[in-house]
Amino acid sequence: MSLTAEQLDHFQREGYVVARDVLLPGEDLQPVIDEYAEVLDRMARRMHAAGEIRTTYAELPFEQRAIAIVKDAGALDQQAFDISFPAHSALKPDTGFHFGPAVFGLLRNRRMLDAVESILGPEITSNPIQHVRMKVPEHLIDADKRTSLNAQTGWHQDNGVVQTEADSSDLLTVWFPLTESSLRNGCLMVVPRSHVEGLRVHCSDSRQSQIPTQLVPQERVRPLPMSPGDVLFMHQRCMHASLANVSEEIRWSLDIRYHPTGQPSGRDYYPSFVARSRANPDSELHDPDAWRQSWLDVRERILAINQPLGSDRWDGTHELCA
């Protein structure tokens, strides 16, 4: 599944490329969906026991069940599904997360890594900046519970949310949907060729860091509807955002990242691992339990110091953030 010369040329010129049918929905994506169905089931049972929802909605399939819970409770605990720790709030002992074997298998997916190798080369590290975004219809979510994980994501560059030592790293964003991603349910948008225009100012709030709207060239914005199996590869300085989900269905996606082994990850306090090495295959991590344990170990160290690590490089004082 190496990218073609035409796809690589598009990536270099435009700052992104959508590759169709890189992943197999049944073989690659369904195990992850099944794993998250178990997470949702545990959450529903816990919420019902606590009196937060009227029933567990166990008879419903995953997407309808998630929507039913949101209608009942006002939101889902998105952090319980995520494959990282929160960047905009302090980590707590009960902060949710999910580091399951199916997700780990997807990070190491052969077809995915073949395509990544086309861009980064043969020494590939799985970057710890990674998220699951399960976006139910936005009108169902209480306004004070909307975040970049469950609602519209503002304009930003991934370079803008890493530590400065990673500015020269070849950080590659890999974004793909688990459900149809359409104009109505909140597909991604990009600004082609923005990756060659440098890092823009970002303004921060409690939800996310985003580029002021006056710096976004709206005439160049391109929405990217995608289907399960399609994969978007994006340069770290490509400006992107999502549309709001104005449909009655879920838009569910993962965004993961890779960088060449040896380069700064951008969040060195979180654990990376070698996903592929042609020069030293023994350095690759193959054990999902070891991957999960690396995050648990980091959580213990973070809780021990009892203060936020601070992953945001912007202080909000720029005149455009007023």
Side-chain angles (χ1 to χ4, degrees), residues 72-83:
D72 199 341
L76 281 175
D77 177 11
Q78 288 288 318
Q79 183 57 47
F81 298 95
D82 208 17
I83 48 176

Side-chain angles (χ1 to χ4, degrees), residues 52-219:
E52 298 172 7
I53 53 178
R54 293 187 294 270
T55 176
T56 63
Y57 302 100
E59 74 284 359
L60 297 177
F62 181 90
E63 294 177 33
Q64 287 76 19
R65 189 179 192 184
I67 290 174
I69 292 172
V70 172
K71 287 180 177 179
D72 199 341
L76 281 175
D77 177 11
Q78 288 288 318
Q79 183 57 47
F81 298 95
D82 208 17
I83 48 176
S84 186
F85 295 140
H88 287 265
S89 60
L91 185 64
K92 301 176 182 178
D94 61 349
T95 298
F97 59 84
H98 178 69
F99 303 114
V103 173
F104 178 75
L106 198 52
L107 297 178
R108 284 191 41 83
N109 181 273
R110 177 181 56 80
R111 284 176 289 273
M112 184 94 74
L113 292 177
D114 286 347
V116 170
E117 184 173 346
S118 302
I119 298 173
L120 296 184
E123 305 303 312
I124 303 170
T125 287
S126 177
N127 187 282
I129 305 173
Q130 52 198 12
H131 297 288
V132 174
R133 303 182 195 271
M134 192 181 302
K135 303 195 176 189
V136 300
E138 197 156 318
H139 69 88
L140 298 178
I141 307 172
D142 295 345
D144 61 347
K145 295 180 180 178
R146 294 176 185 172
T147 72
S148 62
L149 293 181
N150 67 6
Q152 186 171 15
T153 302
W155 286 103
H156 66 285
Q157 297 160 296
D158 285 351
N159 191 173
V161 295
V162 298
Q163 297 167 311
T164 55
E165 60 264 29
D167 284 352
S168 59
S169 295
D170 296 316
L171 184 63
L172 178 67
T173 296
V174 179
W175 188 100
F176 51 95
L178 297 177
T179 59
E180 288 293 327
S181 178
S182 67
L183 294 173
R184 282 189 53 78
N185 74 8
C187 71
L188 225 60
M189 305 178 287
V190 299
V191 176
R193 301 178 299 285
S194 56
H195 67 301
V196 299
E197 298 172 350
L199 180 62
R200 302 297 180 95
V201 170
H202 287 58
C203 301
S204 295
D205 57 28
S206 60
R207 292 180 60 240
Q208 58 186 315
S209 296
Q210 51 189 322
I211 299 170
T213 54
Q214 58 265 46
L215 297 182
V216 180
Q218 296 294 335
E219 71 282 359

